mmCIF file of all heavy atoms in Angstrom:
data_model
loop_
_atom_site.group_PDB
_atom_site.id
_atom_site.type_symbol
_atom_site.label_atom_id
_atom_site.label_comp_id
_atom_site.label_asym_id
_atom_site.label_seq_id
_atom_site.Cartn_x
_atom_site.Cartn_y
_atom_site.Cartn_z
ATOM 1 N N TRP K 1 -4.663 -3.068 -9.308
ATOM 2 C CA TRP K 1 -3.268 -2.710 -9.126
ATOM 3 C C TRP K 1 -3.064 -1.374 -8.465
ATOM 4 O O TRP K 1 -2.254 -1.276 -7.605
ATOM 5 C CB TRP K 1 -2.625 -2.847 -10.489
ATOM 6 C CG TRP K 1 -1.100 -2.821 -10.341
ATOM 7 C CD1 TRP K 1 -0.295 -3.885 -10.145
ATOM 8 C CD2 TRP K 1 -0.275 -1.635 -10.389
ATOM 9 N NE1 TRP K 1 1.071 -3.500 -10.007
ATOM 10 C CE2 TRP K 1 1.165 -2.112 -10.119
ATOM 11 C CE3 TRP K 1 -0.405 -0.283 -10.465
ATOM 12 C CZ2 TRP K 1 2.161 -1.263 -10.114
ATOM 13 C CZ3 TRP K 1 0.671 0.545 -10.452
ATOM 14 C CH2 TRP K 1 1.944 0.089 -10.301
ATOM 15 N N ILE K 2 -3.858 -0.377 -9.030
ATOM 16 C CA ILE K 2 -3.621 0.968 -8.510
ATOM 17 C C ILE K 2 -4.003 1.105 -7.060
ATOM 18 O O ILE K 2 -3.352 1.752 -6.195
ATOM 19 C CB ILE K 2 -4.496 1.986 -9.347
ATOM 20 C CG1 ILE K 2 -3.928 2.148 -10.668
ATOM 21 C CG2 ILE K 2 -4.603 3.366 -8.567
ATOM 22 C CD1 ILE K 2 -2.565 2.891 -10.768
ATOM 23 N N SER K 3 -5.108 0.381 -6.620
ATOM 24 C CA SER K 3 -5.515 0.330 -5.362
ATOM 25 C C SER K 3 -4.565 -0.254 -4.393
ATOM 26 O O SER K 3 -4.298 0.151 -3.193
ATOM 27 C CB SER K 3 -6.806 -0.396 -5.085
ATOM 28 O OG SER K 3 -7.874 0.170 -5.851
ATOM 29 N N LYS K 4 -3.708 -1.241 -4.885
ATOM 30 C CA LYS K 4 -2.732 -1.892 -4.063
ATOM 31 C C LYS K 4 -1.431 -1.129 -4.046
ATOM 32 O O LYS K 4 -0.715 -1.045 -2.968
ATOM 33 C CB LYS K 4 -2.507 -3.359 -4.648
ATOM 34 C CG LYS K 4 -1.529 -4.089 -3.783
ATOM 35 C CD LYS K 4 -1.224 -5.457 -4.381
ATOM 36 C CE LYS K 4 -0.275 -6.348 -3.593
ATOM 37 N NZ LYS K 4 -0.094 -7.670 -4.140
ATOM 38 N N HIS K 5 -1.042 -0.414 -5.125
ATOM 39 C CA HIS K 5 0.209 0.220 -5.250
ATOM 40 C C HIS K 5 0.224 1.730 -5.261
ATOM 41 O O HIS K 5 1.254 2.361 -5.218
ATOM 42 C CB HIS K 5 0.998 -0.306 -6.546
ATOM 43 C CG HIS K 5 1.210 -1.801 -6.517
ATOM 44 N ND1 HIS K 5 2.373 -2.326 -5.849
ATOM 45 C CD2 HIS K 5 0.494 -2.791 -6.953
ATOM 46 C CE1 HIS K 5 2.291 -3.674 -6.030
ATOM 47 N NE2 HIS K 5 1.272 -3.967 -6.728
ATOM 48 N N GLY K 6 -1.042 2.195 -5.417
ATOM 49 C CA GLY K 6 -1.054 3.749 -5.602
ATOM 50 C C GLY K 6 -2.081 4.322 -4.693
ATOM 51 O O GLY K 6 -2.680 5.375 -4.994
ATOM 52 N N ASP K 7 -2.281 3.733 -3.576
ATOM 53 C CA ASP K 7 -3.232 4.404 -2.503
ATOM 54 C C ASP K 7 -2.377 5.393 -1.669
ATOM 55 O O ASP K 7 -1.324 5.224 -1.268
ATOM 56 C CB ASP K 7 -3.778 3.287 -1.604
ATOM 57 C CG ASP K 7 -4.689 3.853 -0.644
ATOM 58 O OD1 ASP K 7 -5.970 3.921 -1.007
ATOM 59 O OD2 ASP K 7 -4.280 4.169 0.555
ATOM 60 N N TYR K 8 -3.027 6.540 -1.586
ATOM 61 C CA TYR K 8 -2.338 7.725 -0.960
ATOM 62 C C TYR K 8 -1.822 7.358 0.483
ATOM 63 O O TYR K 8 -0.665 7.644 0.752
ATOM 64 C CB TYR K 8 -3.216 8.924 -0.964
ATOM 65 C CG TYR K 8 -2.635 10.085 -0.244
ATOM 66 C CD1 TYR K 8 -1.513 10.786 -0.859
ATOM 67 C CD2 TYR K 8 -3.202 10.596 0.944
ATOM 68 C CE1 TYR K 8 -1.136 11.932 -0.225
ATOM 69 C CE2 TYR K 8 -2.627 11.740 1.558
ATOM 70 C CZ TYR K 8 -1.522 12.404 0.982
ATOM 71 O OH TYR K 8 -0.944 13.492 1.578
ATOM 72 N N LYS K 9 -2.539 6.732 1.256
ATOM 73 C CA LYS K 9 -2.213 6.350 2.678
ATOM 74 C C LYS K 9 -1.539 4.992 2.716
ATOM 75 O O LYS K 9 -0.449 4.799 3.208
ATOM 76 C CB LYS K 9 -3.277 6.537 3.541
ATOM 77 C CG LYS K 9 -4.007 7.845 3.817
ATOM 78 C CD LYS K 9 -3.017 8.782 4.743
ATOM 79 C CE LYS K 9 -3.616 9.981 5.045
ATOM 80 N NZ LYS K 9 -2.692 10.915 5.905
ATOM 81 N N ASN K 10 -2.208 4.033 2.260
ATOM 82 C CA ASN K 10 -1.794 2.650 2.428
ATOM 83 C C ASN K 10 -0.536 2.322 1.547
ATOM 84 O O ASN K 10 0.241 1.431 2.064
ATOM 85 C CB ASN K 10 -2.940 1.650 1.989
ATOM 86 C CG ASN K 10 -4.108 1.731 2.782
ATOM 87 O OD1 ASN K 10 -3.956 2.049 4.047
ATOM 88 N ND2 ASN K 10 -5.258 1.372 2.288
ATOM 89 N N SER K 11 -0.204 3.053 0.541
ATOM 90 C CA SER K 11 1.027 2.861 -0.184
ATOM 91 C C SER K 11 2.102 3.852 0.252
ATOM 92 O O SER K 11 3.152 3.957 -0.322
ATOM 93 C CB SER K 11 0.760 2.975 -1.725
ATOM 94 O OG SER K 11 -0.238 2.105 -2.079
ATOM 95 N N HIS K 12 1.800 4.573 1.383
ATOM 96 C CA HIS K 12 2.726 5.611 1.910
ATOM 97 C C HIS K 12 3.124 6.663 0.957
ATOM 98 O O HIS K 12 4.269 7.129 1.031
ATOM 99 C CB HIS K 12 4.020 4.796 2.410
ATOM 100 C CG HIS K 12 3.688 3.621 3.327
ATOM 101 N ND1 HIS K 12 3.208 3.716 4.615
ATOM 102 C CD2 HIS K 12 3.766 2.282 3.056
ATOM 103 C CE1 HIS K 12 3.049 2.569 5.111
ATOM 104 N NE2 HIS K 12 3.302 1.690 4.225
ATOM 105 N N LEU K 13 2.278 6.972 0.021
ATOM 106 C CA LEU K 13 2.535 8.127 -0.847
ATOM 107 C C LEU K 13 2.598 9.372 -0.079
ATOM 108 O O LEU K 13 3.311 10.317 -0.417
ATOM 109 C CB LEU K 13 1.608 8.131 -2.039
ATOM 110 C CG LEU K 13 1.425 6.777 -2.787
ATOM 111 C CD1 LEU K 13 0.489 7.105 -4.036
ATOM 112 C CD2 LEU K 13 2.765 6.274 -3.194
ATOM 113 N N ASP K 14 1.751 9.470 0.890
ATOM 114 C CA ASP K 14 1.782 10.747 1.704
ATOM 115 C C ASP K 14 3.102 10.960 2.315
ATOM 116 O O ASP K 14 3.622 12.043 2.283
ATOM 117 C CB ASP K 14 0.710 10.694 2.856
ATOM 118 C CG ASP K 14 0.741 9.419 3.756
ATOM 119 O OD1 ASP K 14 1.412 8.422 3.362
ATOM 120 O OD2 ASP K 14 0.129 9.512 4.830
ATOM 121 N N ALA K 15 3.738 9.898 2.823
ATOM 122 C CA ALA K 15 4.996 9.986 3.573
ATOM 123 C C ALA K 15 6.063 10.271 2.386
ATOM 124 O O ALA K 15 7.047 11.038 2.663
ATOM 125 C CB ALA K 15 5.404 8.774 4.244
ATOM 126 N N LEU K 16 5.913 9.748 1.271
ATOM 127 C CA LEU K 16 6.883 9.831 0.190
ATOM 128 C C LEU K 16 6.896 11.371 -0.358
ATOM 129 O O LEU K 16 7.907 11.936 -0.546
ATOM 130 C CB LEU K 16 6.497 8.927 -1.034
ATOM 131 C CG LEU K 16 7.379 9.026 -2.263
ATOM 132 C CD1 LEU K 16 8.838 8.764 -1.846
ATOM 133 C CD2 LEU K 16 6.923 8.049 -3.245
ATOM 134 N N ILE K 17 5.728 11.947 -0.418
ATOM 135 C CA ILE K 17 5.666 13.354 -0.791
ATOM 136 C C ILE K 17 6.192 14.208 0.273
ATOM 137 O O ILE K 17 6.971 15.287 -0.028
ATOM 138 C CB ILE K 17 4.144 13.654 -1.042
ATOM 139 C CG1 ILE K 17 3.690 13.066 -2.412
ATOM 140 C CG2 ILE K 17 3.916 15.213 -1.099
ATOM 141 C CD1 ILE K 17 2.090 13.194 -2.563
ATOM 142 N N ARG K 18 6.010 13.973 1.524
ATOM 143 C CA ARG K 18 6.576 14.736 2.591
ATOM 144 C C ARG K 18 8.173 14.563 2.580
ATOM 145 O O ARG K 18 8.879 15.610 2.808
ATOM 146 C CB ARG K 18 6.032 14.343 3.891
ATOM 147 C CG ARG K 18 4.675 14.812 4.144
ATOM 148 C CD ARG K 18 4.304 14.739 5.720
ATOM 149 N NE ARG K 18 4.229 13.274 6.124
ATOM 150 C CZ ARG K 18 3.048 12.473 6.000
ATOM 151 N NH1 ARG K 18 1.946 13.095 5.614
ATOM 152 N NH2 ARG K 18 3.055 11.291 6.400
ATOM 153 N N ALA K 19 8.602 13.440 2.189
ATOM 154 C CA ALA K 19 10.121 13.235 2.080
ATOM 155 C C ALA K 19 10.703 13.979 0.990
ATOM 156 O O ALA K 19 11.714 14.659 1.023
ATOM 157 C CB ALA K 19 10.400 11.737 1.991
ATOM 158 N N ALA K 20 9.972 14.038 -0.120
ATOM 159 C CA ALA K 20 10.341 14.843 -1.259
ATOM 160 C C ALA K 20 10.347 16.398 -0.959
ATOM 161 O O ALA K 20 11.199 17.127 -1.454
ATOM 162 C CB ALA K 20 9.466 14.607 -2.448
ATOM 163 N N VAL K 21 9.316 16.855 -0.236
ATOM 164 C CA VAL K 21 9.334 18.213 0.169
ATOM 165 C C VAL K 21 10.538 18.563 1.083
ATOM 166 O O VAL K 21 11.200 19.608 0.868
ATOM 167 C CB VAL K 21 8.041 18.587 0.923
ATOM 168 C CG1 VAL K 21 8.117 19.932 1.657
ATOM 169 C CG2 VAL K 21 6.859 18.580 -0.049
ATOM 170 N N GLU K 22 10.804 17.667 2.036
ATOM 171 C CA GLU K 22 11.907 17.905 2.949
ATOM 172 C C GLU K 22 13.240 17.868 2.231
ATOM 173 O O GLU K 22 14.153 18.677 2.495
ATOM 174 C CB GLU K 22 11.966 16.879 4.086
ATOM 175 C CG GLU K 22 10.853 17.041 5.029
ATOM 176 C CD GLU K 22 10.762 18.502 5.577
ATOM 177 O OE1 GLU K 22 11.850 18.912 6.042
ATOM 178 O OE2 GLU K 22 9.673 19.052 5.602
ATOM 179 N N ASP K 23 13.345 17.099 1.117
ATOM 180 C CA ASP K 23 14.579 17.127 0.322
ATOM 181 C C ASP K 23 14.750 18.400 -0.465
ATOM 182 O O ASP K 23 15.831 18.970 -0.558
ATOM 183 C CB ASP K 23 14.483 15.862 -0.717
ATOM 184 C CG ASP K 23 15.687 15.867 -1.569
ATOM 185 O OD1 ASP K 23 16.764 15.817 -1.063
ATOM 186 O OD2 ASP K 23 15.576 15.769 -2.832
ATOM 187 N N LEU K 24 13.674 18.947 -0.922
ATOM 188 C CA LEU K 24 13.745 20.307 -1.619
ATOM 189 C C LEU K 24 14.046 21.289 -0.672
ATOM 190 O O LEU K 24 14.826 22.256 -0.979
ATOM 191 C CB LEU K 24 12.348 20.574 -2.366
ATOM 192 C CG LEU K 24 12.069 19.831 -3.621
ATOM 193 C CD1 LEU K 24 10.600 20.179 -4.085
ATOM 194 C CD2 LEU K 24 13.037 20.150 -4.732
ATOM 195 N N ARG K 25 13.477 21.232 0.540
ATOM 196 C CA ARG K 25 13.632 22.286 1.542
ATOM 197 C C ARG K 25 15.193 22.177 1.959
ATOM 198 O O ARG K 25 15.854 23.286 2.137
ATOM 199 C CB ARG K 25 12.890 21.962 2.863
ATOM 200 C CG ARG K 25 12.850 23.133 3.865
ATOM 201 C CD ARG K 25 12.437 22.670 5.178
ATOM 202 N NE ARG K 25 11.037 21.961 5.125
ATOM 203 C CZ ARG K 25 9.975 22.693 5.177
ATOM 204 N NH1 ARG K 25 9.929 24.070 5.248
ATOM 205 N NH2 ARG K 25 8.768 22.059 5.196
ATOM 206 N N ALA K 26 15.810 21.066 2.022
ATOM 207 C CA ALA K 26 17.275 20.918 2.329
ATOM 208 C C ALA K 26 18.153 21.521 1.280
ATOM 209 O O ALA K 26 19.201 21.891 1.487
ATOM 210 C CB ALA K 26 17.627 19.407 2.499
ATOM 211 N N ASP K 27 17.519 21.614 -0.017
ATOM 212 C CA ASP K 27 18.291 22.241 -1.069
ATOM 213 C C ASP K 27 17.876 23.704 -1.231
ATOM 214 O O ASP K 27 18.121 24.297 -2.286
ATOM 215 C CB ASP K 27 18.090 21.465 -2.344
ATOM 216 C CG ASP K 27 19.022 20.321 -2.451
ATOM 217 O OD1 ASP K 27 19.958 20.222 -1.773
ATOM 218 O OD2 ASP K 27 18.600 19.301 -3.285
ATOM 219 N N GLY K 28 17.219 24.321 -0.166
ATOM 220 C CA GLY K 28 17.030 25.760 -0.260
ATOM 221 C C GLY K 28 15.639 26.213 -0.580
ATOM 222 O O GLY K 28 15.358 27.403 -0.504
ATOM 223 N N CYS K 29 14.768 25.307 -0.910
ATOM 224 C CA CYS K 29 13.457 25.738 -1.276
ATOM 225 C C CYS K 29 12.567 26.136 0.020
ATOM 226 O O CYS K 29 12.718 25.477 1.079
ATOM 227 C CB CYS K 29 12.667 24.574 -1.927
ATOM 228 S SG CYS K 29 13.193 24.204 -3.611
ATOM 229 N N THR K 30 11.825 27.286 -0.225
ATOM 230 C CA THR K 30 10.994 27.746 0.929
ATOM 231 C C THR K 30 9.507 27.811 0.625
ATOM 232 O O THR K 30 8.782 28.144 1.453
ATOM 233 C CB THR K 30 11.534 29.143 1.263
ATOM 234 O OG1 THR K 30 11.463 30.066 0.139
ATOM 235 C CG2 THR K 30 12.995 29.125 1.864
ATOM 236 N N SER K 31 9.188 27.496 -0.577
ATOM 237 C CA SER K 31 7.650 27.480 -1.022
ATOM 238 C C SER K 31 7.483 26.300 -1.902
ATOM 239 O O SER K 31 8.451 25.741 -2.659
ATOM 240 C CB SER K 31 7.347 28.768 -1.726
ATOM 241 O OG SER K 31 8.063 28.938 -2.901
ATOM 242 N N PHE K 32 6.283 25.803 -1.898
ATOM 243 C CA PHE K 32 5.993 24.440 -2.573
ATOM 244 C C PHE K 32 4.555 24.485 -3.192
ATOM 245 O O PHE K 32 3.689 24.964 -2.593
ATOM 246 C CB PHE K 32 6.093 23.226 -1.568
ATOM 247 C CG PHE K 32 7.397 23.242 -0.716
ATOM 248 C CD1 PHE K 32 7.469 23.912 0.393
ATOM 249 C CD2 PHE K 32 8.564 22.748 -1.386
ATOM 250 C CE1 PHE K 32 8.728 23.886 1.170
ATOM 251 C CE2 PHE K 32 9.756 22.718 -0.654
ATOM 252 C CZ PHE K 32 9.831 23.344 0.558
ATOM 253 N N SER K 33 4.582 23.983 -4.448
ATOM 254 C CA SER K 33 3.277 23.648 -5.037
ATOM 255 C C SER K 33 3.335 22.154 -5.507
ATOM 256 O O SER K 33 4.419 21.657 -5.488
ATOM 257 C CB SER K 33 3.148 24.551 -6.295
ATOM 258 O OG SER K 33 3.050 26.025 -5.843
ATOM 259 N N ILE K 34 2.229 21.646 -5.933
ATOM 260 C CA ILE K 34 2.156 20.166 -6.319
ATOM 261 C C ILE K 34 1.276 20.039 -7.536
ATOM 262 O O ILE K 34 0.250 20.641 -7.592
ATOM 263 C CB ILE K 34 1.743 19.325 -5.110
ATOM 264 C CG1 ILE K 34 1.865 17.824 -5.554
ATOM 265 C CG2 ILE K 34 0.391 19.680 -4.609
ATOM 266 C CD1 ILE K 34 1.758 16.886 -4.365
ATOM 267 N N ILE K 35 1.843 19.269 -8.518
ATOM 268 C CA ILE K 35 1.098 19.085 -9.804
ATOM 269 C C ILE K 35 1.167 17.563 -10.060
ATOM 270 O O ILE K 35 2.200 16.940 -9.967
ATOM 271 C CB ILE K 35 1.730 19.897 -10.862
ATOM 272 C CG1 ILE K 35 1.011 19.709 -12.255
ATOM 273 C CG2 ILE K 35 3.271 19.643 -10.936
ATOM 274 C CD1 ILE K 35 1.574 20.567 -13.339
ATOM 275 N N GLY K 36 -0.056 17.089 -10.531
ATOM 276 C CA GLY K 36 -0.104 15.633 -10.827
ATOM 277 C C GLY K 36 -0.774 15.476 -12.259
ATOM 278 O O GLY K 36 -1.659 16.342 -12.668
ATOM 279 N N GLN K 37 -0.457 14.362 -12.898
ATOM 280 C CA GLN K 37 -1.042 14.095 -14.191
ATOM 281 C C GLN K 37 -2.044 12.873 -14.009
ATOM 282 O O GLN K 37 -1.701 11.901 -13.392
ATOM 283 C CB GLN K 37 0.067 13.649 -15.122
ATOM 284 C CG GLN K 37 1.071 14.653 -15.365
ATOM 285 C CD GLN K 37 2.235 14.158 -16.230
ATOM 286 O OE1 GLN K 37 2.504 12.852 -16.321
ATOM 287 N NE2 GLN K 37 2.931 14.961 -16.952
ATOM 288 N N CYS K 38 -3.310 13.064 -14.567
ATOM 289 C CA CYS K 38 -4.260 11.894 -14.412
ATOM 290 C C CYS K 38 -4.487 11.598 -13.062
ATOM 291 O O CYS K 38 -5.013 12.394 -12.257
ATOM 292 C CB CYS K 38 -3.789 10.864 -15.353
ATOM 293 S SG CYS K 38 -4.628 9.362 -15.451
ATOM 294 N N TRP K 39 -4.198 10.294 -12.718
ATOM 295 C CA TRP K 39 -4.357 9.813 -11.383
ATOM 296 C C TRP K 39 -3.542 10.642 -10.395
ATOM 297 O O TRP K 39 -3.937 10.852 -9.190
ATOM 298 C CB TRP K 39 -3.855 8.356 -11.329
ATOM 299 C CG TRP K 39 -3.345 7.812 -10.061
ATOM 300 C CD1 TRP K 39 -4.158 7.244 -9.179
ATOM 301 C CD2 TRP K 39 -1.940 7.768 -9.539
ATOM 302 N NE1 TRP K 39 -3.380 6.863 -8.045
ATOM 303 C CE2 TRP K 39 -2.060 7.184 -8.265
ATOM 304 C CE3 TRP K 39 -0.828 8.268 -10.112
ATOM 305 C CZ2 TRP K 39 -0.853 7.059 -7.515
ATOM 306 C CZ3 TRP K 39 0.314 8.057 -9.296
ATOM 307 C CH2 TRP K 39 0.226 7.515 -8.061
ATOM 308 N N GLY K 40 -2.444 11.215 -10.882
ATOM 309 C CA GLY K 40 -1.499 11.983 -10.013
ATOM 310 C C GLY K 40 -2.213 13.289 -9.483
ATOM 311 O O GLY K 40 -1.773 13.765 -8.499
ATOM 312 N N THR K 41 -3.040 13.856 -10.260
ATOM 313 C CA THR K 41 -3.898 15.051 -9.821
ATOM 314 C C THR K 41 -4.653 14.721 -8.622
ATOM 315 O O THR K 41 -4.767 15.504 -7.715
ATOM 316 C CB THR K 41 -4.839 15.588 -10.995
ATOM 317 O OG1 THR K 41 -4.080 15.672 -12.151
ATOM 318 C CG2 THR K 41 -5.362 16.934 -10.518
ATOM 319 N N TRP K 42 -5.237 13.459 -8.581
ATOM 320 C CA TRP K 42 -6.025 13.059 -7.447
ATOM 321 C C TRP K 42 -5.101 12.962 -6.213
ATOM 322 O O TRP K 42 -5.496 13.379 -5.074
ATOM 323 C CB TRP K 42 -6.688 11.666 -7.707
ATOM 324 C CG TRP K 42 -7.489 11.086 -6.693
ATOM 325 C CD1 TRP K 42 -8.412 11.800 -5.942
ATOM 326 C CD2 TRP K 42 -7.414 9.780 -6.166
ATOM 327 N NE1 TRP K 42 -9.024 10.861 -5.022
ATOM 328 C CE2 TRP K 42 -8.376 9.670 -5.055
ATOM 329 C CE3 TRP K 42 -6.613 8.726 -6.443
ATOM 330 C CZ2 TRP K 42 -8.569 8.462 -4.393
ATOM 331 C CZ3 TRP K 42 -6.801 7.561 -5.764
ATOM 332 C CH2 TRP K 42 -7.761 7.448 -4.809
ATOM 333 N N ILE K 43 -3.896 12.397 -6.428
ATOM 334 C CA ILE K 43 -2.882 12.280 -5.330
ATOM 335 C C ILE K 43 -2.485 13.662 -4.950
ATOM 336 O O ILE K 43 -2.417 13.920 -3.737
ATOM 337 C CB ILE K 43 -1.625 11.507 -5.794
ATOM 338 C CG1 ILE K 43 -2.072 10.038 -6.144
ATOM 339 C CG2 ILE K 43 -0.611 11.493 -4.683
ATOM 340 C CD1 ILE K 43 -2.668 9.292 -5.059
ATOM 341 N N ALA K 44 -2.261 14.611 -5.822
ATOM 342 C CA ALA K 44 -1.868 16.006 -5.511
ATOM 343 C C ALA K 44 -2.905 16.596 -4.665
ATOM 344 O O ALA K 44 -2.593 17.361 -3.664
ATOM 345 C CB ALA K 44 -1.614 16.763 -6.701
ATOM 346 N N VAL K 45 -4.182 16.553 -4.991
ATOM 347 C CA VAL K 45 -5.237 17.031 -4.327
ATOM 348 C C VAL K 45 -5.340 16.553 -2.819
ATOM 349 O O VAL K 45 -5.532 17.290 -1.843
ATOM 350 C CB VAL K 45 -6.617 16.856 -5.007
ATOM 351 C CG1 VAL K 45 -7.738 17.157 -4.057
ATOM 352 C CG2 VAL K 45 -6.620 17.736 -6.274
ATOM 353 N N GLN K 46 -5.133 15.193 -2.651
ATOM 354 C CA GLN K 46 -5.104 14.639 -1.345
ATOM 355 C C GLN K 46 -3.970 15.213 -0.501
ATOM 356 O O GLN K 46 -4.167 15.579 0.729
ATOM 357 C CB GLN K 46 -4.929 13.185 -1.434
ATOM 358 C CG GLN K 46 -6.202 12.523 -1.964
ATOM 359 C CD GLN K 46 -5.956 10.921 -2.051
ATOM 360 O OE1 GLN K 46 -6.155 10.220 -1.121
ATOM 361 N NE2 GLN K 46 -5.755 10.470 -3.242
ATOM 362 N N ALA K 47 -2.812 15.423 -1.105
ATOM 363 C CA ALA K 47 -1.692 16.008 -0.458
ATOM 364 C C ALA K 47 -1.943 17.518 0.021
ATOM 365 O O ALA K 47 -1.624 17.906 1.100
ATOM 366 C CB ALA K 47 -0.415 15.950 -1.225
ATOM 367 N N ALA K 48 -2.657 18.183 -0.743
ATOM 368 C CA ALA K 48 -2.994 19.525 -0.646
ATOM 369 C C ALA K 48 -4.176 19.667 0.379
ATOM 370 O O ALA K 48 -4.531 20.830 0.677
ATOM 371 C CB ALA K 48 -3.202 20.302 -1.984
#
């Protein structure tokens, strides 16, 4: 299930993270960090 729905590239999580960054940027953010829990840490590392 994770391979199908939680793959960094194939599930478009990379694009989702970029969209979330741009949303924060539109609200005035100028610096960014990323934190994930469990499986999410692996996703965070891939984004970084």
Side-chain angles (χ1 to χ4, degrees):
W1 191 89
I2 290 291
S3 296
K4 182 177 180 180
H5 299 276
D7 183 84
Y8 179 67
K9 292 288 187 183
N10 294 333
S11 302
H12 308 290
L13 304 188
D14 54 341
L16 180 56
I17 289 170
R18 285 194 292 272
V21 167
E22 289 308 311
D23 180 51
L24 286 174
R25 194 197 303 277
D27 280 338
C29 288
T30 56
S31 63
F32 308 94
S33 296
I34 185 166
I35 178 173
Q37 305 173 333
C38 175
W39 157 88
T41 309
W42 180 52
I43 297 298
V45 166
Q46 290 179 81

